Amino acid sequence: MNTTQIPARSMTTPQWARDAYRFPALPDDLDQQESTTAVDAGGDYLLAAPDPMQRLPFALPAPDMRRLDLHAALTTSGVAPLPGDLAAIHVLCELDDATVATVLRWITSTG
Protein backbone atom coordinates (compact mmCIF):
# COMPACT_ATOMS: atom_id res chain seq x y z
CA MET A 1 0.00 0.00 0.00
CA ASN A 2 1.35 3.42 -0.91
CA THR A 3 1.52 5.96 1.84
CA THR A 4 1.57 9.67 1.29
CA GLN A 5 3.66 11.79 3.59
CA ILE A 6 1.90 14.93 4.73
CA PRO A 7 4.36 17.81 5.10
CA ALA A 8 4.50 19.70 8.36
CA ARG A 9 2.65 22.98 8.45
CA SER A 10 4.81 25.87 7.40
CA MET A 11 4.90 28.87 9.70
CA THR A 12 5.35 31.32 6.81
CA THR A 13 2.92 32.15 4.06
CA PRO A 14 3.92 30.63 0.71
CA GLN A 15 4.78 33.05 -2.07
CA TRP A 16 1.74 32.13 -4.20
CA ALA A 17 -0.56 33.12 -1.33
CA ARG A 18 1.06 36.56 -1.12
CA ASP A 19 0.31 37.47 -4.72
CA ALA A 20 -1.10 41.00 -4.61
CA TYR A 21 -2.75 40.56 -8.02
CA ARG A 22 -4.70 37.48 -6.91
CA PHE A 23 -5.50 38.82 -3.43
CA PRO A 24 -5.62 42.64 -3.61
CA ALA A 25 -6.86 43.06 -0.01
CA LEU A 26 -3.95 41.08 1.43
CA PRO A 27 -1.97 43.08 4.01
CA ASP A 28 1.71 43.70 3.28
CA ASP A 29 2.87 42.53 6.71
CA LEU A 30 1.20 39.09 6.59
CA ASP A 31 4.32 37.19 7.73
CA GLN A 32 4.81 39.59 10.62
CA GLN A 33 1.20 39.09 11.68
CA GLU A 34 1.66 35.31 11.63
CA SER A 35 4.80 35.50 13.72
CA THR A 36 2.99 37.41 16.46
CA THR A 37 0.20 34.81 16.77
CA ALA A 38 0.24 33.14 20.18
CA VAL A 39 1.08 29.44 20.05
CA ASP A 40 1.04 27.26 23.17
CA ALA A 41 3.44 24.41 23.95
CA GLY A 42 1.25 21.87 22.12
CA GLY A 43 1.43 23.83 18.88
CA ASP A 44 -2.18 25.00 19.17
CA TYR A 45 -3.12 28.53 18.12
CA LEU A 46 -4.66 30.43 21.01
CA LEU A 47 -7.70 32.59 20.39
CA ALA A 48 -7.98 36.10 21.70
CA ALA A 49 -10.43 36.69 24.54
CA PRO A 50 -13.89 37.70 23.31
CA ASP A 51 -14.81 41.35 23.48
CA PRO A 52 -17.69 41.81 25.96
CA MET A 53 -18.93 44.81 23.98
CA GLN A 54 -19.63 42.56 20.96
CA ARG A 55 -22.00 40.25 22.82
CA LEU A 56 -25.58 40.07 21.69
CA PRO A 57 -27.87 42.20 23.87
CA PHE A 58 -30.31 39.48 24.92
CA ALA A 59 -30.49 36.67 27.44
CA LEU A 60 -31.73 33.14 26.91
CA PRO A 61 -35.21 32.35 28.17
CA ALA A 62 -35.31 30.47 31.48
CA PRO A 63 -36.35 27.08 29.98
CA ASP A 64 -33.44 27.22 27.54
CA MET A 65 -31.01 27.98 30.36
CA ARG A 66 -32.41 25.07 32.36
CA ARG A 67 -32.06 22.79 29.31
CA LEU A 68 -28.39 23.76 28.96
CA ASP A 69 -27.84 23.20 32.68
CA LEU A 70 -29.45 19.76 32.54
CA HIS A 71 -27.44 18.69 29.50
CA ALA A 72 -24.23 19.99 31.10
CA ALA A 73 -24.93 18.14 34.36
CA LEU A 74 -25.69 14.90 32.54
CA THR A 75 -22.58 15.22 30.40
CA THR A 76 -20.41 16.06 33.40
CA SER A 77 -21.78 13.02 35.23
CA GLY A 78 -20.99 10.80 32.24
CA VAL A 79 -24.62 10.12 31.36
CA ALA A 80 -25.33 10.40 27.65
CA PRO A 81 -29.00 11.22 27.08
CA LEU A 82 -30.72 8.72 24.82
CA PRO A 83 -33.07 9.99 22.10
CA GLY A 84 -36.13 9.22 24.23
CA ASP A 85 -34.64 11.18 27.13
CA LEU A 86 -34.85 14.45 25.23
CA ALA A 87 -38.62 14.59 25.77
CA ALA A 88 -38.10 14.15 29.52
CA ILE A 89 -35.44 16.88 29.54
CA HIS A 90 -37.86 19.16 27.70
CA VAL A 91 -40.53 18.55 30.37
CA LEU A 92 -38.03 19.14 33.18
CA CYS A 93 -36.97 22.43 31.60
CA GLU A 94 -40.49 23.76 31.91
CA LEU A 95 -40.52 23.28 35.70
CA ASP A 96 -39.64 26.03 38.16
CA ASP A 97 -36.05 26.89 39.14
CA ALA A 98 -36.21 25.21 42.56
CA THR A 99 -37.30 21.87 41.10
CA VAL A 100 -34.66 21.96 38.37
CA ALA A 101 -32.01 22.89 40.95
CA THR A 102 -33.01 19.85 42.99
CA VAL A 103 -32.82 17.57 39.96
CA LEU A 104 -29.40 19.03 39.11
CA ARG A 105 -28.24 18.39 42.67
CA TRP A 106 -29.40 14.76 42.38
CA ILE A 107 -27.57 14.32 39.07
CA THR A 108 -24.32 15.86 40.24
CA SER A 109 -24.20 14.39 43.76
CA THR A 110 -21.27 12.05 44.27
CA GLY A 111 -22.67 10.14 47.20
Side-chain angles (χ1 to χ4, degrees):
M1 178 183 280
N2 293 339
T3 59
T4 304
Q5 293 291 341
I6 299 173
R9 183 175 176 183
S10 173
M11 294 306 288
T12 59
T13 306
Q15 183 63 36
W16 63 267
R18 287 186 250 164
D19 186 1
Y21 292 105
R22 291 178 68 201
F23 306 105
L26 191 67
D28 292 333
D29 61 345
L30 184 63
D31 285 329
Q32 292 174 356
Q33 289 177 355
E34 285 181 1
S35 65
T36 60
T37 304
V39 179
D40 70 355
D44 234 358
Y45 288 90
L46 304 176
L47 297 175
D51 182 11
M53 298 305 295
Q54 292 182 346
R55 288 190 178 178
L56 298 176
F58 64 89
L60 285 176
D64 291 337
M65 285 298 294
R66 292 184 202 118
R67 182 175 298 112
L68 290 173
D69 289 341
L70 285 166
H71 279 288
L74 289 168
T75 303
T76 302
S77 298
V79 177
L82 299 174
D85 296 343
L86 296 178
I89 291 173
H90 180 73
V91 171
L92 288 171
C93 296
E94 300 299 325
L95 299 174
D96 62 304
D97 287 334
T99 306
V100 173
T102 302
V103 171
L104 289 172
R105 190 184 67 225
W106 291 340
I107 293 171
T108 58
S109 67
T110 59

